[in-house]
Amino acid sequence: MNLLTDRIADVIGDFRPTHTIIAAVISNMDRCLAEREMSYRVNVTNTIRLIEDVRSMGSRPVFLSTNFVFDGSVGCYNEEAPISPVNEYGRHKAEVEGYLRANVPEGLVTRLSTNVGDNPGEAHLFSQWYQLLIENKPIVCIDGAMISPTYVEDVAHALVTCCERKITGLFHLANTESFYRNDLALKFCDAFGKKANIIRKPLREFGFLDNRALKADLDSSKFVHTTGLSFTPMGEVIRRFIENVRLNQ
Ligand SMILES: NC(=O)c1ccc[n+]([C@@H]2O[C@H](COP(=O)([O-])OP(=O)(O)OC[C@H]3O[C@@H](n4cnc5c(N)ncnc54)[C@H](OP(=O)(O)O)[C@@H]3O)[C@@H](O)[C@H]2O)c1
């Protein structure tokens, strides 16, 4: 589906899902600022149009939001924490969240943090780090950046569970473990038995076009308490990642 041109009914025909998980977004934060008008149209205007389209078919929207609705000054944010996005991407997500909260009582908003996987062939943080490791290049981390790295299989399972149980409202769907990015990188290199070459640089030296939230980790106690689900520890995800690397060799 192209969020600029298509209507959902034309795309899915007679299929009538009970829930629709809305993942599509322009997620490149600098692009959101550089191409403000186009990204706003996709991330806000047409996402809201999509939400209303799926509602008109009797389907409940599940919106994937982000930890970047917070400014990153404090960290460990729960659902009660006030939002104050510091970049265009975060403002887009915050606006759609606001629309859902005000207009869509049957909707679900899940704020995700950094998703990681155990498949070296897919694009995520661990596969990027693995590539740097084998090329003997440094892993460069934003100094002071905190994340709640979350196993993507846990996210998928959690979303299906939320749909099955018709859970509505706002939830932080993120690992209960949080890490400084450089500490997670060290754990990753150690697990490979490789000497870590990790460089910490202040945010201002990265030359990003738009701002970044530094302490972007989430408190997911509400989600854990409501669903009884738990998250796979990062040590185990890294172990599975290494196992898959070896299986592919
Ligand atoms: N991955 C994470 O760690 C993370 C963390 C926080 C929140 N989230 C949220 O979770 C969701 C999924 O994340 P992700 O990492 O999978 O994002 P992603 O890799 O950037 O994927 C975004 C998807 O949106 C599609 N898209 C972009 N413009 C579109 C348009 N005009 N019409 C239709 N589809 C369009 C892209 O399609 P093309 O590939 O064809 O461009 C792509 O498949 C996003 O809403 C994101 O904000 C993810």
Side-chain angles (χ1 to χ4, degrees):
M1 168 169 199
N2 186 325
L3 267 186
L4 289 172
T5 51
D6 301 337
R7 309 298 297 210
I8 186 76
D10 297 333
V11 176
I12 66 171
D14 292 336
F15 179 56
R16 289 291 172 268
T18 59
H19 292 76
T20 303
I21 297 173
I22 300 176
V25 73
I26 308 284
S27 62
N28 180 309
M29 295 188 215
D30 287 346
R31 188 174 171 214
C32 284
L33 184 64
E35 297 175 51
R36 210 176 209 158
E37 210 175 297
M38 184 278 298
S39 65
Y40 184 88
R41 209 148 27 102
V42 171
N43 292 355
V44 183
T45 314
N46 291 350
T47 297
I48 290 173
R49 188 196 71 186
L50 177 62
I51 287 167
E52 288 307 329
D53 272 3
V54 304
R55 290 182 85 197
S56 68
M57 300 185 321
S59 186
R60 293 165 177 246
V62 176
F63 179 61
L64 305 189
S65 190
T66 173
N67 48 350
F68 286 111
V69 294
F70 297 109
D71 64 17
S73 59
V74 181
C76 200
Y77 296 100
N78 65 23
E79 290 81 352
E80 304 297 316
I83 59 171
S84 54
V86 293
N87 61 27
E88 191 66 15
Y89 168 76
R91 285 190 287 276
H92 292 171
K93 290 289 190 180
E95 194 167 332
V96 177
E97 282 192 10
Y99 180 86
L100 281 154
R101 207 169 39 248
N103 302 290
V104 189
E106 79 282 17
L108 170 66
V109 175
T110 58
R111 291 188 186 134
L112 312 182
S113 183
T114 306
N115 293 337
V116 293
D118 60 13
N119 184 343
E122 289 176 351
H124 55 93
L125 192 62
F126 288 166
S127 45
Q128 285 166 18
W129 286 351
Y130 175 62
Q131 199 53 40
L132 293 170
L133 262 187
I134 56 178
E135 291 171 8
N136 284 316
K137 290 182 179 162
I139 296 175
V140 185
C141 297
I142 301 173
D143 197 20
M146 286 209 80
I147 51 173
S148 306
T150 310
Y151 187 35
V152 69
E153 301 278 339
D154 291 344
V155 175
H157 177 63
L159 288 171
V160 171
T161 303
C162 286
C163 294
E164 284 169 351
R165 298 191 196 166
K166 296 192 174 67
I167 291 173
T168 60
L170 170 65
F171 288 88
H172 287 179
L173 203 178
N175 190 0
T176 42
E177 289 177 303
S178 62
F179 293 87
Y180 281 107
R181 235 177 144 90
N182 51 285
D183 285 343
L184 183 63
L186 183 61
K187 192 177 172 75
F188 185 80
C189 296
D190 283 351
F192 268 96
K194 290 256 189 188
K195 188 171 157 27
N197 181 4
I198 298 163
I199 298 174
R200 284 155 59 177
K201 277 200 326 190
L203 178 58
R204 64 177 179 281
E205 287 180 19
F206 279 78
F208 294 131
L209 193 61
D210 207 354
N211 216 337
R212 299 291 190 274
L214 257 191
K215 293 182 186 154
D217 52 321
L218 298 174
D219 174 351
S220 56
S221 322
K222 179 184 168 192
F223 176 81
V224 170
H225 183 74
T226 304
T227 61
L229 296 178
S230 57
F231 293 92
T232 311
M234 275 306 103
E236 172 59 17
V237 180
I238 294 170
R239 193 194 64 72
R240 291 183 201 176
F241 184 95
I242 294 173
E243 197 173 274
N244 286 331
V245 166
R246 301 211 164 117
L247 281 173
N248 291 339
Q249 274 167 352

